[in-house]
């Protein structure tokens, strides 16, 4: 049964990735009524929130948008940076939402940053621990692998409120400052919700895989 749930969650994850690309492409063909590029929306949102010193850089690829908290840079994929679509301004403002979180020390973002070095190590070690544990029938190694993998799962769970909060900040600013008009809110919501689904799906897959590993571990101990 657990294997079936993991497979279903994995398929859900694939569907979520397909949906975010489809939604982005759909609303990427709809120009926003104010004629703003993603760059212009991001710049205005940064400036209005006292982040005029945070630069915005274009990066190659599609859906490669991110906020770099180490260098304090908003990086937007070229379609988002240059285009004047609903998708472009939605994604751009979402990334600025992370920059605002950084400025105000949003607790979950602070926690996520503090977890990152540990999780980076743990997620690299966990697969080898688990593989060695199953190959050599070592419950100790499997247990250690589960502990390390748990850190990676916790990181994904902490990421969820960070992403939802960034989207909420983006939508609030876009409406309050007139980046979008009332009839455009539906498109913005579609784009941001589709993106959020990918994080939900990834977290679900990881949680179910962790539960499966725990069940395997406990069943072998009995």
């Amino acid at each position: 049964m657990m294997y079936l749930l993991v497979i279903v969650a994995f398929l859900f994850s694939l569907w979520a990735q397909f949906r975010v690309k489809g939604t982005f492409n759909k609303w990427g063909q709809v120009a926003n009524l104010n004629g703003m590029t993603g760059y212009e929306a991001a710049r205005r949102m940064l400036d209005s929130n006292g982040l005029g010193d945070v630069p915005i850089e274009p990066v190659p690829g599609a859906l490669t948008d991110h906020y770099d908290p180490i260098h304090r840079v908003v990086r937007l994929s070229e379609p988002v940076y240059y285009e004047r679509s609903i998708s472009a301004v939605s994604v751009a403002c979402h990334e600025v939402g992370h920059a605002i979180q950084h400025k105000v020390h949003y607790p979950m973002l602070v926690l996520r940053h503090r977890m990152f070095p540990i999780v980076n190590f743990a997620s690299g070690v966990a697969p080898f621990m688990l593989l060695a544990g199953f190959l050599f029938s070592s419950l100790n190694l499997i247990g250690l692998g589960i502990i390390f993998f748990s850190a990676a799962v916790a990181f994904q769970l902490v990421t969820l409120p960070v992403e939802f909060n960034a989207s909420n900040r983006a939508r609030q600013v876009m409406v309050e400052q007139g980046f979008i008009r009332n009839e455009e809110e539906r498109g913005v919501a579609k784009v941001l919700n589709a993106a959020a689904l990918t994080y939900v799906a990834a977290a679900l897959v990881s949680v179910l895989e962790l539960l499966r590993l725990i069940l395997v571990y406990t069943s072998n101990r009995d």
Side-chain angles (χ1 to χ4, degrees):
M1 182 63 180
M2 184 56 68
Y3 281 105
L4 179 61
L5 288 176
V6 172
I7 292 172
V8 170
F10 177 73
L11 293 175
F12 175 63
S13 178
L14 292 178
W15 172 81
Q17 293 176 32
F18 175 79
R19 184 182 176 190
V20 71
K21 290 179 182 178
T23 303
F24 180 86
N25 290 336
K26 175 183 176 180
W27 291 98
Q29 296 174 13
V30 180
N32 63 79
L33 296 177
N34 285 332
M36 299 174 67
T37 64
Y39 166 79
E40 290 168 342
R43 185 72 273 160
R44 282 180 58 180
M45 187 170 169
L46 285 167
D47 293 346
S48 66
N49 282 276
L51 293 168
D53 59 331
V54 175
I56 306 168
E57 299 176 352
V59 292
L63 299 176
T64 51
D65 314 88
H66 64 279
Y67 170 67
D68 181 346
I70 297 176
H71 300 100
R72 295 186 71 240
V73 176
V74 172
R75 296 195 174 98
L76 302 177
S77 62
E78 291 176 347
V80 168
Y81 189 96
Y82 294 109
E83 293 181 5
R84 303 176 186 276
S85 66
I86 295 291
S87 289
V89 295
S90 300
V91 173
C93 290
H94 171 87
E95 298 307 331
V96 175
H98 289 307
I100 296 172
Q101 289 175 335
H102 192 183
K103 177 189 176 183
V104 301
H105 303 290
Y106 176 60
M108 298 305 286
L109 184 70
V110 173
L111 175 60
R112 188 173 182 269
H113 288 170
R114 289 178 178 172
M115 290 174 67
F116 182 76
I118 299 171
V119 172
N120 194 37
F121 170 77
S123 60
V125 171
F128 296 102
M129 288 284 188
L130 291 168
L131 179 61
F134 286 116
L135 283 176
F136 299 107
S137 299
S138 171
L139 284 178
N140 288 334
L141 286 176
I142 293 174
L144 283 174
I146 289 174
I147 291 171
F148 285 125
F149 185 59
S150 297
V153 174
F155 184 80
Q156 288 187 313
L157 293 176
V158 168
T159 295
L160 292 179
V162 173
E163 294 299 326
F164 282 112
N165 180 264
S167 288
N168 289 337
R169 290 175 189 273
R171 291 172 67 173
Q172 182 177 351
V173 169
M174 292 169 77
V175 171
E176 289 179 353
Q177 298 189 10
F179 290 12
I180 57 171
R181 304 181 190 179
N182 291 339
E183 59 266 38
E184 296 176 301
E185 287 187 48
R186 175 174 167 270
V188 171
K190 291 276 188 180
V191 172
L192 295 178
N193 290 341
L197 259 185
T198 61
Y199 292 98
V200 172
L204 179 60
V205 171
S206 295
V207 168
L208 290 176
E209 178 61 16
L210 177 61
L211 291 175
R212 186 187 70 81
L213 290 170
I214 292 172
L215 285 175
V216 170
Y217 177 76
T218 54
S219 64
N220 279 282
R221 287 194 63 184
D222 296 336

